[in-house]
Amino acid sequence: MNYHKKTVRDVDVAEKRVFVRCDFNVPLDDNGEITDDIRIRGALPTIRYLLGKKSKIILCSHLGRPKGKVNPKMSLKPVQKRLEEFLGIEVPMADDIVGPHAKAMAAALQPGQVMLLENIRFRPEEEKNDPAFAKELASMADVFVNDAFGTAHRAHASTAGIAAYLPSVCGFLVYDELYTMGKAMENPQHPFVAILGGAKVDEKLGLIERLLMEHCDYVLILGGMSYTFMKANGGTIGDSLCNDAMLDTVRGLEEKAEAVGAKLMLPLDNIVADRFANDANIMCVQSGHIPDGFMGMDIGPKTIEVYTKIIEQARTVVWNGPAGVFEMPNFANGTRAIATAVANSKGISIIGGGDSAAAIDQMGFSRKVTHISTGGGASLEFLQGLELPGIACLEDED
Ligand code: AMP
């Protein structure tokens, strides 16, 4: 996919109406308070740049999964308050999306003013990428800016459809994602090490294949998906997570790795438990020798030692997916050790969103890695070389 896209710097935004698709999908607690505002902070550079250009700014985002219906629990009101605190100016919010209130507010915007639309997913047309709805959104603005990388793999009205009707460019957050990950994948420095874990083996096979094609030197498999590989190799895995439908595909991948001379590595030892619980009885066993009544919950000390050495010598590291059930403290050791090794590696390190990003952040290593993607699913698809509808619709760089 071509990731060389125009940014807000490449179009005339001065005093223009600019529709900015952001990712304000922040976690809220039971009282509707924001528990982590990193996504709001991520949008500020683009908003501040546009304010400097005296644009008339219309901000748009989804929050949660309201499924096309108005749901006050998923209102963007808490985001409005936080934006006002960060920007130090009023950010009035429309209580509809393309209704009379929003349209009147957009028409009345003065240079250097910002407004926020209500949750775009309150409208069923959004996820259907309804062209008439996309056209209505576009009618409020002169320029479309996509700064929501987390939804760039979705073809929705506000992420892709709207681009058919307006000059369309990316914001700084999206540009940073595209440039850093695109460059690392285009010309990776070797040794190039990929670390793939987490539960969903089917979602990550495409990425493993691409990494092998891109001459990745090591693919280190861990986490819930590693047990499917162990079973495919004839190991016993007890009650561990396994995707039986993928056994043949996994064997095929191992053959591909051998053909290109890459090392596709599996854990050497595992911490196993007799229940899926933090206080279960545990022991450490050789991988592929997990007795009945036990399930793999984390990697063991030998795996940590071997994987750490490989990761620390890497010049390019891509990591997606935890090494174990890291939400339970007794099974977080492996993920912590991998995060430490990635932070200690000397070259480019890219964290593909989701749980691995949370782990790096929780351990205070955010500044020690090159890039933490804001999009779990989107970064997986981008690193695989798939076309993201929310990016493909933007204008190419000259
Ligand atoms: P994913 O969304 O595919 O990246 O998977 C992340 C989830 O995988 C996390 O919630 C982990 O708890 C889970 N996970 C990691 N290792 C295991 C395991 N050995 N057994 C079950 N779940 C796991």
Side-chain angles (χ1 to χ4, degrees):
M1 192 186 85
N2 179 11
Y3 65 88
H4 299 279
K5 295 290 175 180
K6 282 190 180 163
T7 78
V8 273
R9 282 193 212 281
D10 303 317
V11 280
D12 181 13
V13 289
E15 303 202 7
K16 295 277 191 310
R17 279 192 177 72
V18 184
F19 185 102
V20 190
R21 178 52 159 102
C22 302
D23 180 4
F24 294 145
N25 185 25
V26 289
L28 300 174
D29 65 16
D30 292 344
N31 301 320
E33 298 289 332
I34 298 172
T35 55
D36 181 356
D37 60 15
I38 191 159
R39 289 188 166 154
I40 302 177
R41 282 185 274 133
L44 296 177
T46 299
I47 301 172
R48 288 196 173 119
Y49 175 84
L50 292 170
L51 282 172
K53 293 283 176 188
K54 299 256 174 282
S55 305
K56 303 164 184 175
I57 308 164
I58 303 160
L59 301 176
C60 164
S61 176
H62 74 285
L63 195 158
R65 295 195 170 132
K67 303 205 168 115
K69 292 203 186 90
V70 175
N71 179 341
K73 284 195 181 138
M74 295 179 198
S75 165
L76 283 172
K77 290 225 166 71
V79 173
Q80 174 196 20
K81 256 178 58 193
R82 192 61 55 94
L83 275 169
E84 288 185 332
E85 285 162 22
F86 280 135
L87 296 172
I89 55 173
E90 272 183 45
V91 181
M93 189 171 137
D95 46 21
D96 53 14
I97 292 146
V98 290
H101 189 208
K103 282 193 171 163
M105 279 176 69
L109 276 176
Q110 295 301 307
Q113 288 187 343
V114 190
M115 65 174 280
L116 175 65
L117 298 177
E118 186 47 287
N119 189 340
I120 187 89
R121 288 196 189 159
F122 284 177
R123 292 286 298 246
E125 299 96 327
E126 162 67 356
E127 292 186 71
K128 290 187 187 130
N129 196 8
D130 179 280
F133 180 66
K135 200 169 175 183
E136 286 272 305
L137 290 175
S139 73
M140 289 193 275
D142 307 304
V143 177
F144 168 56
V145 175
N146 191 359
D147 214 15
F149 187 72
T151 47
H153 58 319
R154 308 275 181 228
H156 294 167
S158 72
T159 63
I162 185 174
Y165 309 101
L166 292 175
S168 302
V169 298
C170 59
F172 297 127
L173 180 151
V174 164
Y175 179 77
D176 191 37
E177 295 268 11
L178 298 180
Y179 186 75
T180 320
M181 291 197 284
K183 206 158 160 251
M185 288 301 280
E186 201 170 65
N187 185 20
Q189 303 294 302
H190 292 267
F192 177 13
V193 177
I195 312 156
L196 293 170
K200 297 177 219 96
V201 66
D202 46 338
E203 279 182 9
K204 292 172 195 176
L205 289 178
L207 179 55
I208 299 178
E209 234 178 320
R210 162 101 201 270
L211 290 163
L212 293 173
M213 276 168 5
E214 298 297 326
H215 306 297
C216 195
D217 300 287
Y218 291 92
V219 180
L220 309 180
I221 305 284
L222 32 65
M225 64 190 255
S226 63
Y227 306 98
T228 304
F229 282 79
M230 287 173 207
K231 188 166 174 185
N233 287 343
T236 52
I237 59 167
D239 302 331
S240 307
L241 200 68
C242 184
N243 187 335
D244 284 318
M246 288 289 148
L247 290 172
D248 283 340
T249 319
V250 157
R251 280 186 208 109
L253 270 183
E254 294 191 312
E255 281 163 22
K256 259 186 204 145
E258 224 176 288
V260 298
K263 290 206 167 69
L264 190 102
M265 295 186 59
L266 296 183
L268 305 166
D269 54 353
N270 285 109
I271 305 299
V272 299
D274 62 353
R275 279 181 307 130
F276 192 76
N278 189 47
D279 60 354
N281 294 310
I282 61 171
M283 57 184 181
C284 182
V285 301
Q286 198 184 334
S287 300
H289 293 81
I290 302 176
D292 284 345
F294 282 85
M295 61 187 86
M297 299 289 274
D298 198 3
I299 50 174
K302 266 195 214 133
T303 312
I304 290 178
E305 193 188 326
V306 172
Y307 279 14
T308 296
K309 273 198 190 121
I310 295 171
I311 296 165
E312 286 186 347
Q313 283 166 19
R315 301 277 308 281
T316 307
V317 181
V318 173
W319 178 26
N320 182 297
V325 188
F326 79 112
E327 297 91 337
M328 300 182 190
N330 286 341
F331 308 109
N333 270 346
T335 302
R336 201 175 304 121
I338 296 296
T340 308
V342 172
N344 287 340
S345 69
K346 300 283 175 284
I348 304 275
S349 44
I350 289 177
I351 317 299
D355 290 324
S356 347
I360 285 278
D361 198 39
Q362 274 165 26
M363 288 161 203
F365 292 145
S366 299
R367 286 174 184 278
K368 294 187 113 192
V369 296
T370 313
H371 184 70
I372 303 180
S373 178
T374 56
S379 69
L380 261 182
E381 293 194 18
F382 182 75
L383 291 168
Q384 259 175 79
L386 298 179
E387 186 168 281
L388 309 187
I391 306 300
C393 67
L394 306 178
E395 290 173 27
D396 292 338
E397 234 171 41
D398 291 330

